[in-house]
Amino acid sequence: MAFDRRTFMGASAATGAAVAITGAAGAPAAAAASQSAGSRTYAFTVMGTTDLHGNVFNWDYFTDKEFDDKAHNDVGLAKISTLVEQVRAEKGRCNTLLIDAGDTIQGTQLSYYYAKVDPITARRGPVHPMAQAMNAIGYDAAALGNHEFNYGIPVLRKFEEQCDFPLLGANALDAKTLRPAFAPYSMHRLRTPHGRDVKVAVLGLTNPGIAIWDKANVQGKMTFPGLEEQAAKYVPRLRSMGADVVIVSAHSGSSGTSSYGDQLPYVENAAGLVAEQVPGIDAILVGHAHTEIPEYRVKNKATGKDVVLSEPLKWGQRLTLFDFELVWERGRWSVAKVAARVLNSNTVAEDPKITRLLSDEHRKVVAYVNQVIGTSTQAMSSAEGPVKDVPIIDLINHVQAETVKAALASSEWASLPVLSQASCFSRTAAIPAGQVTIKDAAGLYPFENTLEARLLTGAQLKDYLEYSARYYVQTAAGGAVDPAKLTNAENIPDYNYDAVYGVSYDIDIAQPVGSRITGLSFRGKPVDPAARFVFAVNNYRASGGGAFPHVPKAQQLWADSDEIRNTIIQWVKAKGTVDPAVFASVDWRLTRAGVPVF
């Protein structure tokens, strides 16, 4: 039967379940079951996606053309739909389930448009494109991701209402009652030729970092305990309810690490720990980390049994398949074998059923992102942003600094200098010479981060810059330099390297980590360790993202509720003309033993 959130919440906010009868009696594909020498077996497949981030079409709204990358991956639910239908045709639809591990409604201009421009929360508002697509494809359940909360709880609740499947979050609790704010799990029955149905439980777990990253949206409303704690609570309950198979859909990476230092009281990437510490789990669909893990086995400490984990690549680039083999013994079904693999969505065409369904929404968003908002006196590119102080990153920082200065103009902090941080979020971002569109400006900032102002000292600023400079591979003085080999040391992503605007400094990459920042100065004078600065910083970094020092605990002077991306768009509209001569300067550079690298 279909999941009804109102019925669930009214019946039992503490447990909750959705039960779906999959397939018709006697209808399973012949390959799904066999019987020999008195044994009964049954096979079924659970398909999984994660981190779809608003991708329906194989389209990049920031470049306004078909998506492509170096590996020629494809993206979007329209491609996933084709893969799903192929698997259902092979296995028998009644022998399959389809689940997701979260981060669904944020990430593209398509999802932004239906949260902010033509919001689903409006009276007689539209149905979210992701809900339409996932309903049409036939998802059975989806875990909550942290980005589900980016647009606020009302948008998430409306999206939940529009979905024909439950949004699961066993560790998303009401802050006052500490009872589940969403369904913790769903229960699904698969009919077999052998009489007794197979009961498959899907337990949804989300990321405890939501309490920090979306503090403005959830503080005082919801709380997010650790994944291991809630899994240990629910898995035995699901087994006692007769679950033959327990699958966890976890919006949490598998590495057992956190990128937020001591700001996050629970492990951010805890899926592997859940598998290791909580007995009774057969498989875990992993999300959040944006990595591809076809199959990863973790031995449970209590039982000694392997738990199979799999993470399909983000944005609908891959579809995970968990293939289960069950055997009937001692009056019950038990799992004999689990294997996982991924399918690549670039091997198939988009499902015309999905592209037709959402063609109007797609056209509206394409028209929106192509609106002209100003002009630029010259072309700017982020291609060299990771290794050079380029004007396009200065633009982000200049807008942020101007915004903070204006916000603090009448405050006690008005006389303090304002510095700003920004990252090279995309190496393909560009502002053309001539007309500038929404997509051009939005492409500089693909995340829904908001802007804050924090108070830092000169000494703290130096620590911050030293930490950021870990991004560079230590490179001895002398000899040729390959720019492609200088960055992403220790797999630090581009978005966790910050350039700071408003001061001047060198980064000596011949030196070890922690001893790289030289010549740090403000207005031509060395920065006084005791000097005070206003620091314009995004909420991701301010909340501990990347585990940068000092900022999360620094005094907050101001915070904005609008996305930085929108602030940039509005700035371009207001100015009319983008002229790098107004804001661009080379304030930092890479050196080796004092000699500039470039």
Side-chain angles (χ1 to χ4, degrees), residues 303-343:
T303 65
K305 294 182 178 179
D306 281 353
V307 181
V308 177
L309 288 73
S310 180
E311 181 175 5
L313 198 58
K314 64 186 184 299
W315 305 345
Q317 295 179 54
R318 304 288 186 272
L319 176 71
T320 277
L321 303 187
F322 290 105
D323 292 314
F324 287 86
E325 293 182 14
L326 274 61
V327 62
W328 179 265
E329 54 187 9
R330 298 186 180 91
R332 59 183 296 272
W333 289 108
S334 61
V335 175
K337 183 180 178 182
V338 188
R341 55 196 167 105
V342 295
L343 303 181

Side-chain angles (χ1 to χ4, degrees), residues 232-244:
K233 174 181 177 180
Y234 279 101
V235 172
R237 183 179 302 180
L238 294 171
R239 290 294 186 181
S240 70
M241 292 169 62
D244 301 297

Side-chain angles (χ1 to χ4, degrees), residues 401-470:
E402 270 202 357
T403 302
V404 168
K405 285 177 184 176
L408 298 178
S410 59
S411 75
E412 62 181 296
W413 315 106
S415 63
L416 292 181
V418 178
L419 312 180
S420 179
Q421 62 78 224
S423 304
C424 182
F425 293 118
S426 168
R427 298 193 186 199
T428 60
I431 296 289
Q435 291 186 337
V436 179
T437 64
I438 285 177
K439 77 173 188 293
D440 298 325
L444 303 184
Y445 220 106
F447 299 103
E448 267 75 15
N449 294 341
T450 57
L451 186 62
E452 297 189 17
R454 299 283 177 124
L455 187 64
L456 287 186
T457 67
Q460 290 173 329
L461 174 65
K462 175 83 172 337
D463 289 346
Y464 190 98
L465 289 170
E466 289 284 8
Y467 183 84
S468 185
R470 301 176 313 130

